[in-house]
């Protein structure tokens, strides 16, 4: 065969198979009750205009799994869509004087072509875009039904306001005072907003974490911490000289006799009230303002230096009557608990540091077993268990028993009760943006808040809008959108002009995929029969950065849709794989760092199969992938070697199909036959659940090396054509999930009529795996002294005999008496003297 014919023309090969798969809708799927269903899903992308290497890695992982599961006989649902609402579209509209819809759909068209160039095996008939009214109309219906069940409500609240984005952010979207999207400081602002009662599901969301063994523990830990369940007591402290009380929550009621002061959040209303019209008012006002400003300056993960100020007020310990000074402290947050903390410096380290700084008493009341603490000499708070002392009638009790007894006494006396609290707060979904789902609410002066009648859905975004450089949403000033009619009294009314948080769309898209594109979904949100068949998602893939935001919201939304009668499942995703980032020059790839590698250019230069193979081989999927140009070139050379060998040996490989394996397999045939089946076994185990793509590819590389070495022109005895063919078939089939275009082409070229994507995964023969010989280590008194080459399965008795007869071993035993011989079959003989 001449060099032109043998050249690895990846452009032509990939175009041929991409066109074929799309034209024949190879990956279109419908429910099949005769086969096991498998739903694999990668988190859908925001249509920003171009895919990046993070996309390539994420979607290739999903595609490898999908192709593998199909070859294992599963009926695989593998869809794709677009998380299409969001702020970048509005920014683009302002910058380029275009409409967000035009920018978004142009990007979708371009990115679809990019994804298709990668050979991703999606059922494109199920494609969806969340900015399409045919999608978000159902989201509006869900909102109305949540409102009717009391799960959606509006209130005046202090919100997280991002000025550059001109919108409100949910707590989960603020990381240490920083906007999750634009990374600028967030400021508090009072305004009306809509919320979803995710807190009603806090306990179920927490308990569900224990029912997700297929999720990474770090993600479950992050969710548990965010939900933040605390079991303790709520106790009231009377404010001295006033009729008011301070409610505190504590997980350590056993330490209440050791409370020596009270800490309030600077924004707690009592702080201002206590200092009003006093000589401390100006100083305290300055402290409140300074603390708020300092919090906004904190970087993610950074904590401010502990600081506080005496308010001039006191409260009374309900058990002892002792007066406790009330401080405003910068580490107490109003949004968590009650904004008031009972400070027990002997048993809380932060209270201890505060007390030392402001010279406040430290009174130990829980002493470690067998020890006696002295507050004057303590070097740190004792936060552990112990026995109560100086605690009135509770002295001598174990700390756990004391917690129950003290809580019970507080309840009996009417100033306390057992309490369970959660760190989780209701999900604020109002956004002052245009490019989002309109909230289907109407305000009428006569009838109050009304929902849009379901027959009037969807409430569509108006198209004739203009965007100003200020970034403010045009909806609030657009009379043609805001002015409407009350559905109850038919009088004049106003529409809600806020739109929904874009995480609303991504909280249920995986359910919509189950019927997207089918007739049953044209006039319904979900086809319940299809949803029941396909859900939950068997394997979900995405970044760990979504652990709290998207993944928690999706779990909540699933439970709501279950309770509304749409779904029958409790959890959306059985298994979760969180892939690592793509790193170049020691940093995550980004335009700002100038270290971006364009997948489009790589595909043009090396082909999609090379890019796919490298992204799977360079690192385990859960680890960060360090970009390496040499690695990409190495992947290309590897595929080229396979292509070259098949074309060089094409005639004998084709002839190998006409013959059975030799009756006796020995020599080169035995070596290649054994390696082939060992590789099938290894790759199968690596792809079954653990997704060790890198070691699976490495195993195939070893098989290729063995094949090429045994067929070297200088080799004395080459494998028979049939054995060679079986090895080549295995290589092609095993690599098909990673490099589908080349493998489909080579499969056809070696003479197969049936397409590779319709065939079953290769099976290995356990008998063929066995080595001709195995190495057994011989130890004398635990030290390596010699080795034996024996047939696998050699008996313990025979191994002992061979070991004692070994000349080197005899020299180490000498005249000593053998006391014991320990045998580990096929591995080790240890002679004890």
């Amino acid at each position: 065969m001449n060099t032109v014919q043998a050249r690895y023309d990846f452009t032509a090969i990939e175009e041929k198979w991409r066109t074929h798969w799309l034209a024949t809708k190879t990956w279109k799927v419908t429910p099949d009750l005769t086969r096991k269903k498998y739903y694999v899903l990668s988190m859908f992308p925001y249509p920003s205009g171009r895919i990046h290497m993070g996309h390539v890695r994420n979607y290739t992982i999903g595609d490898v799994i999908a192709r593998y599961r199909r070859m294992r006989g599963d009926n695989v649902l593998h869809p794709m869509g677009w998380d299409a609402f969001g702020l970048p579209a509005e920014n683009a509209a302002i910058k380029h004087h275009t409409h967000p819809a035009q920018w978004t759909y142009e990007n979708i068209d371009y990115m679809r072509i990019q994804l298709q160039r990668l050979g991703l095996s999606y059922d494109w008939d199920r494609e969806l875009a969340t900015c399409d009214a045919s999608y978000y109309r159902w989201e509006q219906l869900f909102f109305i039904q949540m409102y009717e069940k009391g799960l959606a409500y509006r209130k005046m609240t202090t919100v997280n306001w991002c000025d550059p984005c001109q919108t409100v952010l949910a707590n989960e979207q603020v990381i240490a005072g920083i906007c999750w999207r634009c990374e600028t400081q967030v400021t508090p602002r009072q305004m009306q907003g809509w919320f979803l009662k995710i807190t009603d599901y806090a306990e179920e969301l927490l308990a569900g974490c224990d029912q997700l063994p297929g999720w990474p523990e770090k993600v479950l830990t992050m969710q548990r911490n965010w939900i933040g369940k605390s079991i303790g007591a709520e106790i009231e402290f009377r404010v001295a000289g006033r009729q008011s009380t301070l409610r505190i929550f504590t997980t350590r009621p056993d330490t209440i006799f050791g409370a020596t002061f009270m800490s309030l959040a600077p924004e707690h209303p009592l702080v201002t009230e206590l200092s009003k019209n006093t000589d401390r008012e100006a100083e305290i006002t300055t402290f409140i303002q300074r603390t708020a400003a300092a919090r906004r300056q904190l970087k993610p993960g950074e904590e401010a230096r502990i600081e506080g100020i005496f308010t001039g007020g006191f409260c009374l310990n309900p058990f002892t009557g002792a007066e406790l000074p009330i401080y405003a402290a910068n580490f107490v947050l109003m949004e968590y608990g009650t904004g008031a903390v009972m400070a027990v410096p002997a048993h809380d380290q932060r209270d201890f540091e505060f007390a030392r700084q402001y010279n406040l008493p430290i009174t130990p009341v829980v002493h470690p077993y067998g020890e006696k603490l002295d507050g004057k000499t303590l070097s740190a708070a004792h936060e552990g268990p112990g026995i109560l002392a100086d605690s009135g009638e509770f002295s001598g009790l174990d700390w756990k028993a004391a917690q129950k007894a003290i809580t019970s006494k507080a309840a009996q006396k009417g100033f306390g009760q057992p309490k369970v609290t959660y760190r989780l707060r209701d999900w604020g979904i109002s956004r002052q943006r245009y490019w989002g789902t309109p909230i289907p609410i109407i305000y009428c002066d006569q009838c109050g808040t009304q929902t849009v009648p379901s027959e009037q859905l969807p409430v569509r975004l108006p198209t004739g809008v203009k965007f100003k450089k200020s970034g403010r949403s045009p909806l609030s000033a657009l009379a043609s959108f805001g002015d409407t009619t009350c559905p109850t009294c038919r009088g004049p009314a106003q529409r809600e002009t806020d739109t929904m948080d874009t995480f609303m769309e991504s909280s249920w898209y995986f359910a919509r995929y189950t019927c997207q594109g089918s007739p049953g979904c044209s006039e319904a949100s979900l086809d319940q029969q299809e949803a029941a068949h396909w859900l939950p998602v068997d394997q979900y893939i995405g970044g760990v950065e979504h652990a709290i935001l998207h993944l928690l919201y999706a779990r909540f939304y699933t439970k709501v849709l279950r309770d509304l009668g749409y779904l029958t499942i409790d959890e959306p995703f059985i298994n979760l794989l969180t892939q690592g980032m793509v790193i170049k020059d020691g940093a995550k790839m980004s335009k700002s760092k100038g270290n971006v590698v364009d997948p489009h250019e790589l595909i043009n230069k090396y082909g999609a199969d090379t890019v796919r193979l490298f992204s799977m081989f360079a690192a385990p999927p859960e680890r960060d992938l360090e970009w390496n140009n040499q690695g990409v070139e190495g992947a290309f050379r590897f595929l080229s070697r396979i292509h070259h060998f098949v074309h060089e040996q094409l005639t004998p490989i084709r002839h190998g199909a006409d013959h059975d394996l030799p009756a006796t397999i020995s020599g080169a045939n035995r070596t290649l036959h054994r390696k082939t089946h060992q590789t099938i076994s290894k790759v199968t185990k690596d792809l079954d659940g653990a997704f060790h793509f890198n070691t699976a590819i490495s195993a195939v590389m070893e098989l290729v090396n063995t094949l090429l070495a045994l067929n070297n022109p200088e080799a004395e005895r080459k494998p028979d054509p049939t054995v060679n063919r079986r090895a080549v078939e295995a290589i092609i089939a095993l690599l098909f999930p990673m490099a589908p275009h080349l493998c489909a082409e080579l499969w056809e070229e070696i003479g197969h009529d049936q397409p590779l994507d319709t065939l079953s995964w290769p099976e290995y023969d356990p008998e063929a795996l066995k080595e001709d010989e195995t190495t057994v280590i011989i130890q004398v008194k635990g030290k390596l002294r010699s080795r034996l080459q024996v047939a696998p399965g050699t008996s313990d008795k025979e191994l002992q005999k061979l070991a004692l007869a070994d000349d080197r071993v005899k020299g180490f035993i000498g005249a000593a008496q053998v006391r014991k011989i320990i045998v580990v079959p096929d591995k080790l003989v240890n002679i004890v003297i």
Side-chain angles (χ1 to χ4, degrees), residues 583-604:
I583 307 293
K584 187 172 184 286
D585 303 328
K588 178 182 177 181
M589 282 190 183
S590 69
K591 292 181 181 177
S592 62
K593 293 184 175 65
N595 63 350
V596 171
V597 175
D598 187 351
H600 183 71
E601 293 179 2
L602 281 178
I603 292 172
N604 286 341

Side-chain angles (χ1 to χ4, degrees), residues 235-242 244-248 250 253 255-264 270 274 309-328 340-345 351 354-355 359-363 365 415:
I235 298 174
E236 290 186 347
F237 288 65
R238 252 187 338 108
V239 180
R242 297 174 182 265
S244 57
T245 60
L246 268 175
R247 272 187 314 110
I248 65 97
T250 178
T255 67
I256 195 168
F257 285 83
T260 60
F261 61 98
M262 182 71 68
S263 298
L264 302 184
L270 187 60
L274 288 172
I309 189 170
F310 178 47
T311 65
F314 294 84
C315 62
L316 304 179
N317 187 317
F319 279 96
T320 67
E323 283 194 343
L324 309 180
I326 300 174
Y327 279 75
V341 175
M342 174 187 80
V344 187
D351 292 345
F354 191 94
N359 198 28
L360 295 165
I362 298 175
T363 306
V365 292
F415 56 76

Side-chain angles (χ1 to χ4, degrees), residues 266-306:
E267 61 269 38
H268 195 292
L270 187 60
V271 173
T272 304
E273 184 182 326
L274 288 172
S275 63
K276 190 174 183 179
N277 299 324
T278 70
D279 57 0
R280 307 184 63 82
E281 184 174 13
E283 185 182 4
I284 288 174
T285 300
T286 299
F287 173 79
I288 294 170
Q289 295 171 346
R290 186 173 71 250
T291 300
R295 284 178 179 171
R296 292 195 293 271
Q297 296 301 318
L298 289 177
K299 296 177 181 178
E302 184 181 7
E303 290 189 5
R305 181 179 62 85
I306 289 175

Side-chain angles (χ1 to χ4, degrees), residues 639-653:
L639 295 180
S640 298
R641 290 171 70 201
I642 297 172
H643 179 271
H644 177 74
F645 178 82
V646 171
H647 277 261
E648 187 179 58
Q649 301 289 328
L650 192 56
T651 299
I653 289 174

Side-chain angles (χ1 to χ4, degrees), residues 509-719:
Y509 78 108
F510 49 86
R512 178 69 182 185
Y513 275 143
T514 62
C515 69
Q516 176 71 9
S518 69
C521 262
S522 60
E523 292 300 324
S525 58
L526 297 169
D527 183 315
Q528 291 179 303
Q529 190 172 355
E530 295 245 3
H533 175 78
W534 289 112
L535 292 172
V537 174
D538 295 279
Q539 183 64 59
Y540 200 38
I541 304 147
V544 72
E545 66 271 16
H546 299 291
I548 293 173
L549 295 167
H550 163 58
L551 290 170
L552 186 62
Y553 291 155
R555 294 183 61 217
F556 160 65
Y557 220 95
T558 296
K559 297 174 192 304
V560 171
L561 292 183
R562 175 202 62 196
D563 292 346
L564 291 175
Y566 291 99
L567 300 178
T568 58
I569 58 172
D570 297 324
E571 294 287 347
F573 316 119
I574 297 174
N575 298 295
L576 172 68
L577 190 158
T578 53
Q579 91 280 357
M581 298 184 296
V582 180
I583 307 293
K584 187 172 184 286
D585 303 328
K588 178 182 177 181
M589 282 190 183
S590 69
K591 292 181 181 177
S592 62
K593 293 184 175 65
N595 63 350
V596 171
V597 175
D598 187 351
H600 183 71
E601 293 179 2
L602 281 178
I603 292 172
N604 286 341
K605 185 174 182 180
Y606 297 106
D609 283 342
T610 292
V611 176
R612 290 171 58 114
L613 190 72
F614 170 76
S615 66
M616 294 298 94
F617 179 63
E622 69 280 2
R623 303 272 185 87
D624 290 346
L625 184 158
E626 183 71 39
W627 184 259
N628 185 317
N629 290 330
Q630 290 73 31
V632 179
E633 293 168 0
F636 178 73
R637 286 196 301 271
F638 171 65
L639 295 180
S640 298
R641 290 171 70 201
I642 297 172
H643 179 271
H644 177 74
F645 178 82
V646 171
H647 277 261
E648 187 179 58
Q649 301 289 328
L650 192 56
T651 299
I653 289 174
R654 285 176 174 172
H655 289 167
D658 301 329
H659 304 280
D660 294 328
L661 287 172
T664 301
I665 302 178
S666 59
N669 284 335
R670 170 69 176 146
T671 300
L672 184 56
H673 181 67
R674 180 173 60 240
K675 189 65 175 178
T676 298
H677 285 268
Q678 287 175 340
T679 305
I680 295 171
S681 172
K682 169 66 174 168
V683 174
T684 302
K685 291 174 183 176
D686 283 346
L687 297 187
D688 259 339
F691 305 138
H692 295 153
F693 307 120
N694 56 326
T695 56
I697 295 169
S698 180
V700 178
M701 288 178 171
E702 290 182 15
L703 175 57
V704 170
N705 289 339
T706 300
L707 174 68
L708 297 182
L710 292 174
N711 284 276
N712 188 297
E714 298 179 3
E716 292 184 9
R717 181 80 182 244
K718 297 181 178 65

Side-chain angles (χ1 to χ4, degrees), residues 27 29-31 35-44 61-63 65-67 69-70 73-81 121-123 126-128 135 505-516 526-527 530-541 550 558 567 569 571-577 691:
W27 316 118
V29 65
T30 57
R35 297 159 65 197
K36 176 187 172 186
K37 73 91 179 176
Y38 193 90
Y39 185 177
V40 56
L41 181 63
S42 297
M43 295 180 185
F44 63 171
I61 289 171
D63 196 57
I65 295 170
R67 290 177 181 275
R69 293 313 314 178
R70 290 191 193 98
D74 295 346
N75 192 34
V76 176
L77 172 59
H78 188 211
M80 173 50 68
S121 59
Y122 295 131
D123 180 351
R126 295 177 186 262
E127 181 184 10
L128 60 81
Y135 180 86
E505 285 81 62
S506 59
S507 292
W508 71 285
Y509 78 108
F510 49 86
R512 178 69 182 185
Y513 275 143
T514 62
C515 69
Q516 176 71 9
L526 297 169
D527 183 315
E530 295 245 3
H533 175 78
W534 289 112
L535 292 172
V537 174
D538 295 279
Q539 183 64 59
Y540 200 38
I541 304 147
H550 163 58
T558 296
L567 300 178
I569 58 172
E571 294 287 347
F573 316 119
I574 297 174
N575 298 295
L576 172 68
L577 190 158
F691 305 138

